Amino acid sequence: MFLASCGRFAEAIAACAPDAFAERVPVQLRVRASIIDSQRGELDTAILKIREILDEDPDNAFAWSQLAEWWQQKGEHAKALSAAKRLIEIAPRAPASWGYVAECLANQGKLDECKTHLQRSIELDPSYLYGGYALLSLQTDAAEYDDALRTLSIVGPHLTDHERCAREARLQALANRQDESLAALRRATHAIAESAALLIDAADAMLRNGWAEPLKSQLSEEIKAGRASPAAVFVLIDVLTREAKLSAIEELCNSLDPASPHWAEGVSAYVEALGEAKAEDRIDTFVKPRADLLRRQSRTWGLVGGAYEQCGWLHETVAWMSDWPNRDDTQPHQFVSLALAQLQLGELEQVRAIVEHALALPVAAATDPLRVLGA
């Protein structure tokens, strides 16, 4: 498959039929050749090949799954469903068999049948998260919140504590159960979180119910007591930003230990909010006394540069970020503001140098604005 990933499709297909198997190429290699055909856009050829394989090996579950997927890509949903149902006949206790059928049913708009099949998939294997997530999404969209909570209880042991509790908090909020929602959110803020995204989703549902005050009160209490994760700081600042309460955000940041990850999370969110609000006076008075601290981490360093550029402080942006060649923990997106400032100042050679440096970083593919500037 390496050859196919390089676009060398003809060689990849030839490699699936080596001379050693001239008499009879193994099924696994023939299936792989059909997949390569699909990758190079020859879906009809891929389907023809896989059907020939299934004529010889009608219980090949992987081949049926490929056929179902390719029929779906062609918009032949009835044929896709028929192929997927063969998976249940061949491997009825494999959760993925029921997942394939559920996906085909969803594409035909048969959502009740889809949910039944997804339910069966997680009954067979609660760790089958495709089935769990898909079922949760359908039940939530249909306002079947109690059913969604039951689904969460099945797959929950296979989620992180943070994810399980944050999802419960959102569902309880959607069901308009304030006490249960806040209790679940409290548990979620105590758990380790890779990001604040799920907490934000839960907070959104609470805010739509008009629960801003109890939400802010609980988050503030947990942060002050040292029980909450840094993600909770981000959520509280997000809520305060929506209310344009910049003074309250600054007060919160001042209460945090500068050596803690909570401070970094809070200050990052605050600086970003100041930039978006173009709050020039606040940016200046907040950054100057904390300049050394804000420079220590590239995250806050980049956000300050971004806030300066949003305010139109082009020379200040360039000065603040002048150490960019010497920072070794940066992300490509952090250079967008610097490149834009130099571009507006007419420093095209500097723009090119910045863009080339940023795009050479490991995750450069994620920063499309830099590619535009570089062009």
Side-chain angles (χ1 to χ4, degrees), residues 300-312:
T300 49
W301 168 85
L303 287 169
V304 170
Y308 281 177
E309 192 276 326
Q310 285 177 298
C311 289

Side-chain angles (χ1 to χ4, degrees), residues 67-95:
L67 182 58
E69 181 179 329
W70 294 337
W71 279 133
Q72 287 198 87
Q73 289 180 25
K74 287 180 68 66
E76 297 279 3
H77 298 306
K79 290 180 179 178
L81 179 59
S82 178
K85 285 182 175 179
R86 281 288 289 132
L87 292 170
I88 293 179
E89 296 172 12
I90 296 166
R93 298 200 60 77

Side-chain angles (χ1 to χ4, degrees), residues 203-248:
D204 284 342
M206 294 180 182
L207 292 173
R208 285 195 294 272
N209 289 345
W211 302 348
E213 293 310 313
L215 171 60
K216 290 186 293 184
S217 176
Q218 178 172 293
L219 288 170
S220 298
E221 176 187 329
E222 296 301 311
I223 292 167
K224 185 176 181 180
R227 294 187 292 261
S229 68
V233 177
F234 183 92
V235 176
L236 179 54
I237 290 178
D238 178 73
V239 174
L240 293 170
T241 299
R242 299 184 201 200
E243 298 176 341
K245 294 183 176 178
L246 297 179
S247 296

Side-chain angles (χ1 to χ4, degrees), residues 17 71 77 85 87 98 112 122 133 135 158 167 170 202 260 263 269 290 331 355 365 375:
W71 279 133
H77 298 306
K85 285 182 175 179
L87 292 170
W98 297 83
D112 288 339
I122 61 172
Y133 286 138
L135 184 56
H158 302 281
R167 288 183 180 278
R170 178 172 183 259
S260 71
W263 183 88
R290 301 169 179 81
Q331 298 288 320
V355 170

Side-chain angles (χ1 to χ4, degrees), residues 108-136:
Q108 293 188 35
K110 299 176 180 178
L111 299 186
D112 288 339
E113 289 182 67
C114 173
K115 285 185 282 189
T116 298
H117 282 72
L118 291 171
Q119 184 70 45
R120 179 57 177 155
S121 76
I122 61 172
E123 288 171 355
L124 287 167
D125 182 0
S127 70
Y128 180 58
L129 294 183
Y130 166 79
Y133 286 138
L135 184 56
L136 277 171

Side-chain angles (χ1 to χ4, degrees), residues 233-277:
V233 177
F234 183 92
V235 176
L236 179 54
I237 290 178
D238 178 73
V239 174
L240 293 170
T241 299
R242 299 184 201 200
E243 298 176 341
K245 294 183 176 178
L246 297 179
S247 296
I249 299 173
E250 185 163 343
E251 184 179 342
L252 170 62
C253 290
N254 290 335
S255 72
L256 300 172
D257 179 1
S260 71
H262 298 72
W263 183 88
E265 194 71 41
V267 168
S268 296
Y270 182 44
V271 170
E272 192 167 12
L274 291 176
E276 291 175 357

